[in-house]
Amino acid sequence: MKQVSRAVDLGPTGPLSKPWTGKAIPSIGRLFFVDSSGQDTWCTASVVTSGNHSVIMTAAHCARLGSSPVNTYSDIVFVPGYVKGKTPYGRYAVKATMTPRSWAEDTVNDVAAMVVATPAYGKRLTDAVGAQNVAFGRSAGERVTAFGYPATTPQRGEELLYCAGTSQRAPEGEDRVPCDLGGGASGGPWLAGFDSATGKGTVVSVNSHGEGHGGGTPMYGPTFDNTARAVYDAAQRG
């Protein structure tokens, strides 16, 4: 965890990305893993309400390589409330990942749900850090706040950043929002109805990709439709 931030620098943090300085949000955290190339890296994820009290939502490309069913990532660990090298709520190993078949085969529907193990020393994840609500089938046009741990300078993944704006429907089963969070913020939640006083909202999508190969505004996220619901339901039964 200490070394991976030093290994990636995606350039200056964009003007729309602001450090989160409000109430701590322990239900949002950094997701560390080893990718299909054997490289240590990270994404962002959020804890959501679930029947098993152990589900996080993120992007499918944070779980496995698209259009490559056998390339599931390994050693996935979720650190809720991560900030500047500190893990105030512990670490939770991921024991199961759920992604759409359309992602594994065709790189479509960039959403994943993961089930974390309960550490021997602690409580189930939701009981320990709380959870965000999650909704499916919502229409675009809501004001959302997108969070993430981008690998941009100077934060380099060590601080939680956010963008806020009104979502719009985009082609190919996606929504978009004005946001320039860089890589590393992938999988971070789009919270509708976000209340800065409580740190709570409703997850209606996750950060997937920016505009074009190099990223940049706007940020796109998968529409939370029946496919996303099925992934979530499979995880909460896990």
Side-chain angles (χ1 to χ4, degrees):
M1 292 181 186
K2 293 179 180 177
Q3 294 177 349
V4 68
S5 294
R6 305 188 192 107
V8 184
D9 183 353
L10 298 181
T13 296
L16 300 179
S17 301
K18 308 296 182 184
W20 176 248
T21 58
K23 176 185 174 69
I25 311 177
S27 57
I28 301 175
R30 212 167 160 194
L31 187 71
F32 295 89
F33 57 93
V34 179
D35 67 17
S36 59
S37 300
Q39 299 297 311
D40 294 335
T41 187
W42 77 91
C43 279
T44 304
S46 59
V47 187
V48 294
T49 56
S50 61
N52 58 14
H53 293 219
S54 301
V55 173
I56 60 176
M57 298 290 289
T58 187
H61 76 263
C62 300
R64 65 188 312 140
L65 196 64
S67 301
S68 184
V70 300
N71 278 317
T72 301
Y73 302 153
S74 62
D75 301 322
I76 308 175
V77 177
F78 178 64
V79 183
Y82 181 96
V83 59
K84 296 182 178 179
K86 297 180 180 179
T87 59
Y89 307 96
R91 307 172 184 86
Y92 287 78
V94 170
K95 65 178 184 178
T97 63
M98 285 74 178
T99 59
R101 179 177 297 178
S102 55
W103 177 262
E105 296 180 354
D106 301 309
T107 320
V108 177
N109 298 121
D110 191 11
V111 59
M114 300 181 177
V115 185
V116 302
T118 300
Y121 58 81
K123 303 176 181 178
R124 291 183 297 180
L125 180 60
T126 297
D127 300 330
V129 304
Q132 303 288 344
N133 291 322
V134 58
F136 304 93
R138 296 271 280 258
S139 299
E142 297 181 283
R143 182 170 177 81
V144 299
T145 306
F147 286 92
Y149 290 89
T152 48
T153 304
Q155 291 85 12
R156 303 277 288 275
E158 292 297 299
E159 297 178 51
L160 183 64
L161 274 63
Y162 75 99
C163 296
T166 300
S167 65
Q168 296 179 319
R169 188 67 75 215
E172 300 180 359
E174 293 185 311
D175 294 340
R176 62 187 174 217
V177 66
C179 186
D180 52 13
L181 291 170
S186 293
W190 291 17
L191 296 179
F194 177 68
D195 184 344
S196 59
T198 63
K200 295 291 184 69
T202 299
V203 181
V204 294
S205 186
V206 295
N207 298 323
S208 175
H209 62 93
E211 184 72 59
H213 178 71
T217 188
M219 174 72 75
Y220 290 83
T223 300
F224 269 22
D225 55 12
N226 287 337
T227 298
R229 185 193 295 272
V231 167
Y232 164 76
D233 283 341
Q236 70 169 341
R237 292 192 299 266

